[in-house]
Amino acid sequence: MKALEHPNRNRFFRQMGLKWYNVAPIDDETGLPILQEQQPYGMYHCHQVSSSMVREIKRATRAAGSVIKKTWEVVRGFDDETLLSLGFPKRSLRVIKADSSLPFAMRLDWCWNELTGDKKIVEINCQTPSFWFECLEGNRFAAHHFNLGDPNPEAKELVPTCLYKQLETAAQKLGKKVNQCTVGFTALNNVEDMGTMHWLSQHLKGCNATSLLFPLEFLGIKENVGLFYTRNNTKIDILFMWYPLEWAIHDRDEQGKLLWDSLEQLILKQKVVLVNFASGFVLQPKSLFSLITDLGWDFFGGDAATVFEYFPKTSMLAENIGHSYFAKPILGRQGEGGYAVYNQDMLVEGSGKNEWYTSQAYVYQDLLDLPTIEIEDNEMTALWGSWLINNGEEEFASAGVGLRLSTGPITDDLSYWCPIGI
C-alpha cells in the first residue's frame, strides 16, 4: 500500500514530530518493544471528511460528556459492595473515593457509521495518552500538507488553557500557587507514550511552573514524604501519570515489595496530586456502559436522548443482550480478549488473548456494524476517536477528532492512524 510505503512517508512524519509512525508490540516479560516485529502505524494519506460530519461528531461528543459526568458522579457515591460488583479492584476503592476532581481528559471511541445510522460510543479511554497528538496536532499538519482544512482548529488554544486550569486546581489542594509547584509528566518508556507526554508538557510554557518529563522507571516513592524524580532527587508536587491504575496496584519494587500501599498513602494524605489517575479510573471499567443502560433514560433527564442515540445497550449478562453481541473484559484495553458473537455463533475474536484480560469478568454490548473506508482499493474497518477535555468549569469540552483503520474487524494497538482533513 502506497500510504505505508511512500518515499516521502518517513520525512513527512518526522517533520510533523510523530516519532512513533512505526510501532512494535511490547514483550510481556521485559516491557520493551520487539523491534524485529515493528510495523507501520502512520499512513501517508489524508482522508477527506466533510465539515458537517466533524461538527456532528464533536456535537455528539459534547453531549456524551454530560452523560459521562453524571455517571461519574453516581459511581463515586456507590458503596464498596456496589463498586466491587462493577469490577473495580478492591485496592482501588479508597483513592477513587478520595479524588473528587473531574477527570482531565478522555478519548471516546466511536462506531460512526453514516451508512447504517449506527453512531455509538464503544469505549471510554480515560487513562491512556494514545492517539492524542495525532488528533489534535498531527491532523493539522497533515491537512496543511495535503491542501485540506484543519479539522480541529479549536485544540490549539483549548489544550493549554484547560491544562493550566488543572494545575491551578491541583496546586490549590496542596496550598500552593502553580509557580511554586514542580510538575511531572510520566508514562511507560515507549516512544508513543513518552512522545505524547512530551507534547502535552510543551503546553506548560509560560506558566512559570517547573516541569519534568521522564519515563516511569525514574519515579521514586519515599514513604510518607512524596514522589521523586530519582535522577536528581527532585520532589514532584503534581504528576500527570498516564499509567493504568489496575496495573499500579500490583507493581513491586526490586525487592518484591508492593508499591501501592505507599503510593496510596501519599495520594490520600495529599503529599502529591495525581491528575487524571484515580478520578479517571472511575470511568475505565466497561461496566459503566452497563450501568448507563440499567439507570435508564429517565434517570438522565434532559440527556435521555443522548443516551438513546449514542450509548449502546450493554449488560454484564450476555442473555440480556440477545444472540448477537460484542464481549469485552471489564478492564480490557486495546481490544485484548474481545470477541463478537452473531446468532450464537462466534463471529470474530481479537488477536490478543492475554490471560490478564481473558480471566476478567466480561460485559456484553449490542453488536454494531463498524464502517469501512476504502484506501487505495483496500477496504478497511474504521474506528473514529474524539477527545473530551475538562474545561476547568466542571464541564467537558470537545477537542479533536481522528481516525484509526484496521485490516481486520477489531481495532487493536497495531491498527493504522489515517490523518483526516476537511
Side-chain angles (χ1 to χ4, degrees):
M1 191 186 302
K2 288 182 180 179
L4 301 175
E5 300 172 353
H6 196 281
N8 292 335
R9 177 176 174 268
N10 291 2
R11 181 162 56 91
F12 168 73
F13 284 115
R14 286 169 184 159
Q15 290 176 342
M16 178 190 294
L18 186 85
K19 296 180 180 179
W20 55 99
Y21 56 89
N22 295 322
V23 294
I26 302 299
D27 187 288
D28 289 336
E29 293 185 4
T30 66
L32 298 174
I34 307 172
L35 294 179
Q36 62 269 30
E37 296 182 22
Q38 184 172 267
Q39 297 182 32
Y41 166 63
M43 303 180 79
Y44 183 74
H45 180 82
C46 198
H47 179 66
Q48 297 186 37
V49 294
S50 67
S51 58
S52 60
M53 177 180 171
V54 172
R55 282 197 304 270
E56 187 182 355
I57 293 176
K58 290 179 180 177
R59 191 163 50 242
T61 299
R62 285 193 297 272
S66 179
V67 172
I68 291 168
K69 181 189 173 188
K70 288 180 179 179
T71 308
W72 179 85
E73 291 169 344
V74 169
V75 173
R76 289 198 67 258
F78 281 154
D79 59 25
D80 288 3
E81 184 178 355
T82 306
L83 291 171
L84 292 172
S85 72
L86 289 170
F88 286 92
K90 187 175 182 179
R91 297 173 69 86
S92 72
L93 302 188
R94 287 199 290 184
V95 293
I96 64 175
K97 288 183 176 182
D99 192 345
S100 60
S101 298
L102 200 65
F104 170 48
M106 71 193 75
R107 190 188 75 239
L108 309 183
D109 288 342
W110 292 83
C111 167
W112 193 274
N113 193 329
E114 295 193 302
L115 186 64
T116 65
D118 282 337
K119 298 175 180 179
K120 305 286 187 183
I121 300 166
V122 295
E123 298 275 353
I124 300 172
N125 298 285
C126 208
Q127 283 197 305
T128 174
S130 301
F131 207 48
W132 204 351
F133 172 93
E134 294 91 317
C135 289
L136 276 64
E137 191 83 24
N139 279 334
R140 179 185 304 121
F141 183 94
H144 178 76
H145 180 83
F146 287 96
N147 298 313
L148 297 171
D150 180 6
N152 302 305
E154 74 288 339
K156 194 169 186 178
E157 299 299 327
L158 187 63
V159 175
T161 300
C162 294
L163 180 60
Y164 186 74
K165 288 181 178 179
Q166 286 292 307
L167 292 182
E168 284 187 315
T169 300
Q172 287 171 6
K173 291 181 179 180
L174 298 170
K176 295 184 176 184
K177 295 180 180 179
V178 172
N179 61 9
Q180 297 172 320
C181 294
T182 297
V183 184
F185 293 84
T186 190
L188 288 171
N189 194 10
N190 62 64
V191 65
E192 180 181 9
D193 287 6
M194 287 303 298
T196 305
M197 295 306 282
H198 174 262
W199 167 79
L200 182 62
S201 70
Q202 294 304 295
H203 291 90
L204 273 188
K205 290 180 178 178
C207 79
N208 297 321
T210 301
S211 66
L212 297 169
L213 172 73
F214 53 89
L216 202 58
E217 56 261 39
F218 295 123
L219 180 65
I221 299 177
K222 291 185 180 179
E223 199 163 341
N224 296 317
V225 177
L227 295 179
F228 290 79
Y229 173 47
T230 57
R231 299 200 76 173
N232 61 12
N233 204 37
T234 300
K235 189 174 184 292
I236 306 297
D237 297 298
I238 302 169
L239 184 65
F240 289 77
M241 183 170 73
W242 258 256
Y243 180 70
L245 190 152
E246 74 269 24
W247 296 358
I249 61 178
H250 296 289
D251 284 345
R252 297 177 182 270
D253 63 17
E254 294 177 352
Q255 287 72 47
K257 178 186 176 183
L258 280 169
L259 296 169
W260 180 251
D261 288 346
S262 298
L263 178 58
E264 181 186 55
Q265 286 305 306
L266 295 178
I267 295 171
L268 296 178
K269 293 179 179 179
Q270 294 198 343
K271 300 285 187 180
V272 65
V273 175
L274 271 65
V275 177
N276 215 71
F277 185 61
S279 64
F281 187 66
V282 173
L283 296 172
Q284 193 61 42
K286 308 300 184 286
S287 50
L288 261 69
F289 285 87
S290 176
L291 174 62
I292 291 170
T293 297
D294 292 343
L295 288 171
W297 303 335
D298 290 343
F299 173 84
F300 289 97
D303 293 318
T306 299
V307 175
F308 173 77
E309 190 166 359
Y310 298 127
F311 286 83
K313 182 181 177 183
T314 309
S315 176
M316 295 177 73
L317 297 172
E319 54 264 34
N320 290 344
I321 302 301
H323 300 313
S324 301
Y325 53 79
F326 192 86
K328 58 185 74 173
I330 281 181
L331 294 174
R333 293 178 183 271
Q334 303 287 8
E336 285 273 3
Y339 62 91
V341 169
Y342 180 73
N343 284 339
Q344 296 185 320
D345 291 326
M346 183 70 74
L347 181 64
V348 65
E349 291 184 86
S351 57
K353 296 181 176 65
N354 189 312
E355 188 179 355
W356 166 269
Y357 298 103
T358 58
S359 62
Q360 294 177 18
Y362 272 63
V363 297
Y364 306 88
Q365 285 184 337
D366 277 340
L367 187 61
L368 302 171
D369 189 9
L370 288 171
T372 58
I373 288 177
E374 190 172 291
I375 304 289
E376 300 172 9
D377 298 324
N378 294 283
E379 192 171 89
M380 309 185 79
T381 303
L383 185 72
W384 289 89
S386 62
W387 282 88
L388 281 170
I389 300 185
N390 183 343
N391 66 3
E393 299 172 4
E394 294 302 301
E395 292 181 349
F396 291 117
S398 176
V401 173
L403 175 64
R404 296 285 299 270
L405 297 176
S406 58
T407 54
I410 296 179
T411 305
D412 58 24
D413 58 345
L414 295 179
S415 60
Y416 304 114
W417 167 45
C418 180
I420 63 171
I422 301 294

